[in-house]
Amino acid sequence: MEAGLDQEVGKKGRITIHDVAAVAGVSISTASKALNDTGRMGEETRERVKRIAREIGFRPNALARGLLSKRSFTIGLLTNDTYGRFTLPVMAGISEALVDHGVSVFLCAIEDDPALGQIHVDAMLDKQVDGIIASGKRLDRSLPVDLSNLPVPVVYAFTEGTPDSVTFRSDDAQGAGLAVEWLMKLGRRRIAHITGPESFFSVRERAGAYREIAGDTEPVMYGVWSESWGHEAVAKIWGRNGEKPDAVFCGNDQIARGAIDALRECGIRVPEDVSVVGFDNWEIMAEQTRPPLTSVDMGLKALGREAGLTVLALAEGRPVEAGVRKLPCHLVVRQSA
Amino acid sequence: MEAGLDQEVGKKGRITIHDVAAVAGVSISTASKALNDTGRMGEETRERVKRIAREIGFRPNALARGLLSKRSFTIGLLTNDTYGRFTLPVMAGISEALVDHGVSVFLCAIEDDPALGQIHVDAMLDKQVDGIIASGKRLDRSLPVDLSNLPVPVVYAFTEGTPDSVTFRSDDAQGAGLAVEWLMKLGRRRIAHITGPESFFSVRERAGAYREIAGDTEPVMYGVWSESWGHEAVAKIWGRNGEKPDAVFCGNDQIARGAIDALRECGIRVPEDVSVVGFDNWEIMAEQTRPPLTSVDMGLKALGREAGLTVLALAEGRPVEAGVRKLPCHLVVRQSA
DNA sequence: CAGTAATGAGAAAAGGTTTTCTCAAGATAA
DNA sequence: TTATCTTGAGAAAACCTTTTCTCATTACTG
């Protein structure tokens, strides 16, 4: 009954459960039940079917399975973050959380093109994704595509979501608090804050926390997210008369990088004379800075993990409370502070 | 016959071709043929079915379609490039090329974990991907997972492939040539080359082209892929006695960055006194360097595009010649040279 | 020993689409 | 008017799996 085997199996196309059933000499339904540990049958039969399936390398066709179960074990990740600086860690977290559940992820980079976004959303829906995670590069902007009233659950991660949805974001105020408290614990008292454009929600949150803890010793320096702004801001501060800061808390790692360069050019030592803390913990940047940069990590991987588990829960019909969830940042101490 | 409409349609679940057929008052087969522009029927019927499908928002279920056609319109992108510095542009190219064909991309980051790689490959095969593109961060290393004898076509992009497969890679020698020739066109004669570990194939290729064009004016400085190495190497060269270089060709943008910093610290002006060219054109780095970095772009997006079109061709059974295809680099001129 | 319960396994339907085959009606040719 | 051709449209099978239902056999219970 088990004769033939390899020669007979998979003659045309992939190996199906029909092949398993044929080789095992049972019906298709029995084979299915054996493999899924459902139904009633002799333990011996079940084991034999399983063994044969293993031997001939049977793997169930997810398309057929999905057609029936209405679960494709597939989700879509939509992002407008071209460089993937924020999205990649989020993606890593999602993937890590979902791979155990057999879920794969479609990554769709849509730039800021609404038409492209719509195309990708349609393609994902056609492919019956179990859910969609929307991600981005900014907490206070939403993707250029309408995700309300979709037939699948949508979760937002590091991008602005609709009020009645589940949204995950970093707790930037808490993260800024971590940085400033660390500087104060180091004995620093005059802490400057050089950051990005005030139009960014994150910037206002971080600056708010900074002011609350550090007091109004220094005016917040708003600018742009670039090294050159960090450089320029330091030049401005140290060009002024009066007492100089003994620490700089920067709005991101690029600004911090520029600031450190400027300080070195002024002959100021980091961290001996001035401590510097960055934000984002963009490792490839933070580790290469001289000295390596102490920075606030937004925990994007954990954020992705949570988003992944949440969209899965929604897809399985488990109830999830709507609202914004702030996930904590943590401080990665290197040598600049 | 077209009455009811919205109320009747999609009462449970998504809208299927059954709904279209019912509303249009035709059979399912007629509806299908109308929508696919196949079969024989009155032009009027065809148009009516199409209109109704549009009106009630019918979109065919890709799972069901794929089950029959054995095409899932899905491919998998496998990579061990954690930061996505190389993979993301490749991915962008793939996606751009394939979105027009309705193909979506599973992104699977497998680190360097063979077990994880196997899991992802199995998951992709279960989902009946039409093909797989393997990508990485290094031309002379292959992914830690066996992709031979898979039931779907595999194309390699920016990673080492099997001899009988299709492999796309950048033409590093040509790219290095571009850089050195540009420097010589600027009148530079003593060109130094600071680069990564000699164990990298790319390093040897680039160094080879450099030596061929620039001659043996300066010994190649092999090191690591870091800013600090760029910094250190410049310090070494300018610490030596004898004539100094008037240009530096760096193995990547991070090294170039370190080199420029070191030159500035020595009081040497870039590009007035010394021209510097980087490699990779890692925009987020190259644009922020002071001065902005002239760099060799490996054309990874084009590489991804080619890989995408190739895997699609193979999936459709069109013949593709095996072998390694070198794609040209181009020079992005900014201000450092 | 007759009747019921438990067990093992198969038949068939379902899921949504495409494709091939069949059939009826109307049109043309003889 | 009868035989053949064309046209329009539907029935059914196929893709692969899961699940529910049914049935036959064996093992008990009274």
Side-chain angles (χ1 to χ4, degrees):
Chain A
M1 207 169 258
E2 295 185 21
L5 241 130
D6 289 351
Q7 295 93 5
E8 303 301 331
V9 158
K11 264 195 172 157
K12 42 179 179 142
R14 311 255 249 247
I15 295 161
T16 76
I17 200 170
H18 287 82
D19 298 311
V20 177
V23 175
V26 298
S27 72
I28 293 166
S29 24
T30 301
S32 173
K33 285 182 292 188
L35 295 172
N36 293 300
D37 277 327
T38 63
R40 284 183 319 205
M41 75 188 58
E43 198 51 36
E44 168 222 25
T45 311
R46 198 182 288 278
E47 282 310 320
R48 183 163 47 94
V49 172
K50 281 186 179 177
R51 176 174 54 78
I52 287 171
R54 223 179 306 122
E55 280 173 10
I56 68 177
F58 167 72
R59 309 215 95 229
N61 181 326
L63 264 46
R65 187 181 254 174
L67 190 55
L68 203 52
S69 68
K70 282 148 173 347
R71 285 285 316 277
S72 65
F73 289 91
T74 282
I75 69 150
L77 175 57
L78 217 52
T79 178
N80 65 348
D81 174 23
T82 312
Y83 290 111
R85 215 169 104 200
F86 302 114
T87 293
L88 272 179
V90 173
M91 162 88 198
I94 296 171
S95 189
E96 189 181 293
L98 297 187
V99 72
D100 299 330
H101 301 267
V103 175
S104 306
V105 182
F106 286 124
L107 178 58
C108 305
I110 61 171
E111 313 292 325
D112 284 304
D113 181 346
L116 188 58
Q118 193 57 50
I119 289 175
H120 272 124
V121 169
D122 287 345
M124 295 195 301
L125 293 179
D126 289 354
K127 281 162 188 141
Q128 311 291 117
V129 290
D130 296 333
I132 292 178
I133 299 178
S135 188
K137 52 191 170 189
R138 204 172 151 173
L139 289 176
D140 51 354
R141 284 285 181 278
S142 49
L143 295 185
V145 57
D146 182 23
L147 297 175
S148 53
N149 303 318
L150 253 41
V152 298
V154 178
V155 169
Y156 296 84
F158 207 76
T159 192
E160 188 172 81
T162 54
D164 59 333
S165 64
V166 185
T167 304
F168 290 93
R169 46 159 293 209
S170 49
D171 190 344
D172 289 52
Q174 173 263 349
L178 242 40
V180 179
E181 276 161 13
W182 173 255
L183 289 170
M184 299 192 71
K185 195 150 45 177
L186 292 175
R188 304 305 187 178
R189 286 299 169 267
R190 293 191 68 86
I191 303 172
H193 184 35
I194 307 174
T195 186
E198 196 171 1
S199 60
F200 277 62
F201 174 74
S202 305
V203 167
R204 298 194 298 275
E205 279 239 313
R206 295 172 195 174
Y210 155 79
R211 259 196 293 257
E212 198 157 301
I213 304 174
D216 276 322
T217 48
E218 292 283 333
V220 174
M221 309 274 290
Y222 298 104
V224 296
W225 295 119
S226 75
E227 268 187 64
S228 54
W229 162 238
H231 197 273
E232 182 189 332
V234 162
K236 270 188 190 158
I237 297 175
W238 266 266
R240 284 202 295 254
N241 293 331
E243 211 176 345
K244 300 291 180 287
D246 52 12
V248 185
F249 168 41
C250 298
N252 78 356
D253 290 345
Q254 285 176 280
I255 291 175
R257 172 67 199 261
I260 288 182
D261 283 355
L263 288 170
R264 184 179 323 107
E265 287 168 26
C266 295
I268 299 165
R269 291 169 307 166
V270 175
E272 293 82 354
D273 305 327
V274 171
S275 300
V276 177
V277 175
F279 211 106
D280 285 354
N281 189 33
W282 187 26
E283 298 192 355
I284 204 161
M285 165 114 289
E287 287 172 354
Q288 296 257 325
T289 305
R290 288 168 308 134
L293 194 60
T294 294
S295 184
V296 178
D297 189 302
M298 294 189 284
L300 294 178
K301 199 166 176 181
L303 207 147
R305 207 156 33 220
E306 292 298 316
L309 292 174
T310 303
V311 82
L312 187 64
L314 288 166
E316 289 172 350
R318 279 180 277 146
V320 175
E321 207 180 330
V324 177
R325 317 262 175 91
K326 285 196 245 184
L327 265 55
C329 302
H330 61 272
L331 189 71
V332 176
V333 177
R334 295 198 181 82
Q335 295 166 35
S336 70
Chain B
M1 208 167 261
E2 297 186 22
L5 241 128
D6 289 350
Q7 297 92 7
E8 302 301 331
V9 159
K11 264 192 172 159
K12 43 177 177 143
R14 312 254 249 247
I15 296 160
T16 76
I17 201 170
H18 287 83
D19 299 311
V20 178
V23 175
V26 298
S27 73
I28 292 167
S29 24
T30 301
S32 173
K33 285 182 291 188
L35 295 172
N36 292 301
D37 277 329
T38 63
R40 285 183 319 207
M41 74 189 57
E43 199 50 36
E44 167 221 26
T45 312
R46 198 182 288 280
E47 282 310 320
R48 182 162 46 94
V49 171
K50 282 186 178 177
R51 177 174 53 78
I52 286 171
R54 222 179 307 122
E55 281 173 9
I56 67 178
F58 166 72
R59 310 216 94 228
N61 182 326
L63 263 47
R65 185 181 259 176
L67 191 54
L68 204 51
S69 68
K70 283 149 177 342
R71 285 286 316 277
S72 65
F73 289 91
T74 282
I75 68 149
L77 175 58
L78 216 53
T79 179
N80 64 349
D81 175 23
T82 313
Y83 289 110
R85 211 169 108 200
F86 303 112
T87 292
L88 271 178
V90 173
M91 161 88 198
I94 296 172
S95 189
E96 191 181 292
L98 297 187
V99 72
D100 299 329
H101 300 268
V103 175
S104 307
V105 182
F106 286 124
L107 178 58
C108 304
I110 62 171
E111 313 291 326
D112 284 303
D113 181 347
L116 187 59
Q118 194 57 52
I119 290 176
H120 272 124
V121 169
D122 287 346
M124 295 196 300
L125 293 178
D126 290 353
K127 280 158 190 148
Q128 311 291 115
V129 290
D130 296 333
I132 293 180
I133 298 178
S135 188
K137 51 191 170 189
R138 201 172 155 174
L139 290 177
D140 50 354
R141 283 285 181 278
S142 49
L143 296 184
V145 57
D146 181 23
L147 297 176
S148 53
N149 303 317
L150 254 42
V152 299
V154 178
V155 168
Y156 297 84
F158 207 76
T159 191
E160 188 173 81
T162 54
D164 58 332
S165 64
V166 185
T167 304
F168 290 94
R169 45 159 294 209
S170 49
D171 189 344
D172 288 51
Q174 173 264 350
L178 244 40
V180 178
E181 275 161 11
W182 173 254
L183 289 171
M184 298 191 71
K185 194 149 48 179
L186 292 175
R188 304 305 187 178
R189 285 299 170 265
R190 293 192 68 86
I191 304 172
H193 183 34
I194 308 174
T195 186
E198 198 173 359
S199 61
F200 277 62
F201 175 74
S202 306
V203 166
R204 297 194 300 274
E205 279 241 313
R206 295 172 195 173
Y210 155 78
R211 258 196 294 253
E212 197 156 303
I213 305 175
D216 276 322
T217 48
E218 292 283 334
V220 174
M221 310 274 290
Y222 298 104
V224 296
W225 294 121
S226 75
E227 267 187 64
S228 53
W229 163 239
H231 197 274
E232 182 189 332
V234 162
K236 270 188 189 157
I237 297 175
W238 266 264
R240 284 202 294 254
N241 293 329
E243 212 177 343
K244 299 292 180 284
D246 52 11
V248 184
F249 168 41
C250 298
N252 78 355
D253 289 346
Q254 284 177 281
I255 291 175
R257 172 68 197 261
I260 289 183
D261 283 355
L263 289 170
R264 185 181 319 106
E265 286 168 28
C266 296
I268 298 165
R269 292 168 307 166
V270 175
E272 292 82 353
D273 305 326
V274 170
S275 300
V276 176
V277 175
F279 211 106
D280 286 355
N281 189 32
W282 187 25
E283 298 192 355
I284 206 162
M285 166 115 289
E287 287 172 354
Q288 295 259 324
T289 306
R290 289 169 306 132
L293 193 60
T294 294
S295 184
V296 178
D297 189 304
M298 293 190 283
L300 294 177
K301 200 167 176 179
L303 207 147
R305 208 157 32 221
E306 291 300 315
L309 292 175
T310 302
V311 82
L312 187 64
L314 288 167
E316 290 172 351
R318 280 179 276 145
V320 175
E321 207 181 329
V324 176
R325 317 264 174 91
K326 286 196 242 183
L327 265 55
C329 302
H330 60 272
L331 189 72
V332 177
V333 177
R334 294 198 180 82
Q335 294 166 36
S336 70

